[in-house]
C-alpha cells in the first residue's frame, strides 16, 4: 500500500476542522437529548406502537421533503451558515416536540426538526469535505466520530435529566440554548470564501487520485450510486433502530428501568464512535470494502444473537455490535458518491444524503406495524437484515489501495 506524504495543515485549516467538529457534535447532541424522552412522550400522548412509529417517521419525512433544497441553500448562503442556521431551527423543533400535547403537534414539530436537520447534515458534510480537501487526506470519519460523541453526550444528558426528574421543557430548552451558542461560535472559524473552491488537481481529498475508468458507463455509474444509497440506508436503518426503538424494547419488552433502558441507544452510538474513531486507519490498511463487509457481519451476528437470546445485558451488547459494525457506512457512501466520475460536483453527496433518509422514513412505521402484529423483538430483525444487505453490496466500495 502506498503511503502519501501528508501536508501540514495551515492554522486556519486546523481551526476550520475544529469548527466543523463542533457542528457535528451539536448535531448529534441535539436530537439525542430528545430520544430517551420518547417513552414518556408516547405514554403521555396515549398512543400505540403503530401511531408512535408513524409520528416518529415525521422526522425523516421532513428531511426528505426539504433535502434537495439543501444544495441550493449551500450555494447561495455558504455551507457553514446553512449548517448553523439549520442547527438553531432543529433545536426549536426538538423543543416543540418535547412540549407537544397532541400527536399532531408532536409529528409536526418532528417534521420541522427533520427538515432543518437535513440542511445541517448536507451543509456540515459539504464543509467537512471542503476542509478535507485542504488537508489532502481522509478526515471525514473523524467528523462522524465527533457526531457520535455528541449523540452519546446528548443521550447521557437526557438520561441524567430523567433520573433527576428534570421536566422535559426545562431540559430541552437548556440543551437547545447550549448547543445553539456552540454552533454560533464555531461559525466564526469556518472556512471563508465560495463553496466552489477547487481541490488540487488529482487530489480526491483522501490522498488518492480518482479518475473515471475507461470502461465506466452511465448504467454502471447509476448502479454504483444506487448501491451506495442502499449501503448508506442500511446504516440509517440500524441507527434508527437504536434511536426509535432501543429504549422502548429494553423498557417494555425486557422490563429494564427507564434510566437503564437509555443505555441501549448510548451503547449503539458509543460503539459507533469507536468504529469511526479508528475508521480512517482501518480503511487505509484494509480498504473500505473489507471494512464494510466485516462490520456488516459483526452487526448481523451481534444483533441476531441478542434477539435470539433476549436479555438486558445481551441486548445492550447487541446494539453496541450493531453500532460498531455500521460505523463507517454513511461516511464511506457519502465520500464515494462525492467522488463518482460522470457526476457534477456535489451531486453524488446530495443524492445519497437525501435518499438515505428513506431508511429513517420507512423504518419506524414498518417496525411499529410488525411490533403490533407480532412483537417488537421481531421488528428489530431489521438490524441483522441491514447487515446482510451491506454484505451483498459492499463490492462497489473501494478495495485496499496497493
Amino acid at each position: 500500500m502506498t503511503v502519501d506524504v501528508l501536508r501540514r495543515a495551515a492554522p486556519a485549516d486546523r481551526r476550520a476542522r475544529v469548527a466543523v467538529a463542533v457542528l457535528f457534535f451539536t448535531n448529534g447532541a441535539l436530537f439525542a437529548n430528545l430520544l430517551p424522552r420518547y417513552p414518556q412522550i408516547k405514554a403521555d400522548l396515549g398512543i400505540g406502537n403503530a401511531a408512535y412509529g408513524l409520528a416518529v417517521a415525521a422526522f425523516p419525512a421532513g428531511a426528505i421533503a426539504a433535502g434537495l433544497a439543501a444544495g441550493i441553500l449551500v450555494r447561495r448562503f455558504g455551507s457553514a451558515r446553512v449548517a448553523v442556521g439549520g442547527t438553531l431551527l432543529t433545536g426549536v423543533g426538538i423543543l416543540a416536540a418535547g412540549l407537544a400535547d397532541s400527536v399532531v403537534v408532536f409529528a409536526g414539530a418532528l417534521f420541522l426538526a427533520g427538515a432543518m436537520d437535513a440542511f445541517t447534515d448536507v451543509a456540515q458534510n459539504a464543509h467537512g469535505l471542503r476542509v478535507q480537501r485542504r488537508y489532502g487526506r481522509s478526515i471525514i470519519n473523524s467528523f462522524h466520530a465527533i457526531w457520535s460523541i455528541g449523540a452519546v453526550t446528548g443521550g447521557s444528558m437526557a438520561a441524567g435529566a430523567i433520573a433527576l426528574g428534570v421536566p422535559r421543557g426545562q431540559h430541552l430548552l437548556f440543551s437547545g440554548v447550549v448547543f445553539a451558542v456552540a454552533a454560533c461560535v464555531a461559525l466564526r472559524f469556518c472556512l471563508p470564501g465560495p463553496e466552489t473552491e477547487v481541490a488540487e488537481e488529482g487530489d480526491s481529498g483522501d490522498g488518492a487520485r480518482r479518475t473515471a475508468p475507461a470502461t465506466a458507463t452511465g448504467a454502471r455509474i447509476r448502479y454504483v450510486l444506487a448501491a451506495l444509497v442502499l449501503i448508506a440506508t442500511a446504516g440509517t436503518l440500524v441507527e434508527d433502530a437504536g434511536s426509535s426503538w432501543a429504549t422502548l424494547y429494553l423498557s417494555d419488552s425486557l422490563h429494564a428501568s427507564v434510566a437503564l433502558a437509555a443505555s441501549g441507544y448510548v451503547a449503539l452510538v458509543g460503539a459507533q464512535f469507536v468504529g469511526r474513531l479508528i475508521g480512517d486507519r482501518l480503511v487505509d490498511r484494509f480498504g473500505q470494502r473489507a471494512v464494510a463487509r466485516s462490520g456488516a457481519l459483526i452487526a448481523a451476528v451481534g444483533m441476531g444473537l441478542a434477539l435470539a437470546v433476549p436479555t438486558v445485558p445481551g441486548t445492550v451488547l447487541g446494539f453496541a455490535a450493531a453500532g460498531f459494525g455500521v460505523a463507517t457506512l454513511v461516511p464511506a457512501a457519502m465520500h464515494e458518491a462525492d467522488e463518482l466520475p460522470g457526476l457534477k460536483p456535489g451531486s453524488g453527496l446530495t443524492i445519497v444524503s437525501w435518499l438515505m433518509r428513506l431508511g429513517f422514513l420507512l423504518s419506524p412505521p414498518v417496525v411499529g406495524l410488525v411490533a403490533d402484529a407480532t412483537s417488537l423483538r421481531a421488528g428489530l430483525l431489521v438490524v441483522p437484515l441491514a447487515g446482510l444487505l451491506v454484505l451483498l453490496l459492499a463490492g462497489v466500495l473501494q478495495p485496499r489501495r496497493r
Side-chain angles (χ1 to χ4, degrees), residues 119-402:
F119 295 158
T120 300
D121 185 44
V122 172
Q124 69 186 8
N125 275 286
H127 207 78
L129 289 170
R130 186 178 167 195
V131 174
Q132 176 172 276
R133 288 192 289 271
R134 294 284 195 98
Y135 269 69
R137 57 187 171 89
S138 177
I139 58 174
I140 192 66
N141 277 301
S142 68
F143 291 135
H144 286 262
I146 296 297
W147 183 95
S148 297
I149 294 178
V152 171
T153 301
S156 300
M157 286 173 62
I162 292 170
L164 294 173
V166 178
R168 283 200 301 269
Q170 294 179 18
H171 158 222
L172 295 175
L173 177 62
F174 173 79
S175 65
V177 169
V178 167
F179 297 125
V181 170
C184 289
V185 172
L187 179 60
R188 293 173 51 87
F189 300 99
C190 289
L191 293 175
E195 296 300 314
T196 54
E197 188 176 55
V198 180
E200 291 186 19
E201 184 178 356
D203 186 3
S204 69
D206 61 358
R209 183 179 179 86
R210 293 292 289 278
T211 56
T215 58
T217 64
R220 170 65 181 173
I221 292 171
R222 287 192 294 272
Y223 165 75
V224 172
L225 185 59
L228 292 174
V229 168
L230 289 175
I231 288 171
T233 301
T236 64
L237 286 173
V238 175
E239 290 182 20
D240 180 74
S243 63
S244 299
W245 300 103
T247 304
L248 283 174
Y249 179 63
L250 284 162
S251 61
D252 292 354
S253 300
L254 301 184
H255 310 294
S257 66
V258 175
L260 181 59
S263 63
Y265 175 70
V266 172
L268 184 144
V269 293
Q272 189 179 57
F273 159 70
V274 174
R276 287 172 172 173
L277 190 65
I278 63 177
D280 288 318
R281 283 174 287 176
L282 290 176
V283 169
D284 285 342
R285 178 161 187 154
F286 302 107
Q288 186 59 257
R289 186 181 300 171
V291 172
R293 283 175 173 162
S294 300
L297 187 61
I298 291 172
V301 173
M303 197 63 193
L305 289 175
L307 293 173
V309 186
T311 64
V312 172
T315 299
V316 172
L317 289 175
F319 278 112
F324 182 82
V326 303
T328 64
L329 294 185
V330 171
M334 286 183 170
H335 181 259
E336 294 274 353
D338 200 46
E339 296 292 326
L340 268 179
L343 296 178
K344 293 180 180 179
S347 296
L349 172 63
T350 301
I351 292 170
V352 169
S353 299
W354 183 57
L355 290 179
M356 77 175 186
R357 300 279 181 163
L358 286 174
F360 285 118
L361 176 64
L362 298 177
S363 179
V366 169
V367 173
L369 289 170
V370 172
D372 280 347
T374 55
S375 67
L376 185 51
R377 180 182 171 193
L380 287 174
L381 285 172
V382 67
V383 176
L385 290 176
L388 294 178
L389 179 65
V390 174
L391 282 173
L392 292 174
L393 297 175
V396 301
L397 298 173
Q398 290 296 306
R400 178 183 177 183
R401 287 185 289 141
R402 300 294 179 180

Side-chain angles (χ1 to χ4, degrees), residues 34 37 41 44 93-101 106 109-110 168-169 172:
L34 177 65
R37 295 287 191 171
I41 295 173
D44 289 347
I94 287 171
L95 177 60
L99 297 175
D101 57 1
F106 178 58
L110 288 180
R168 283 200 301 269
L172 295 175

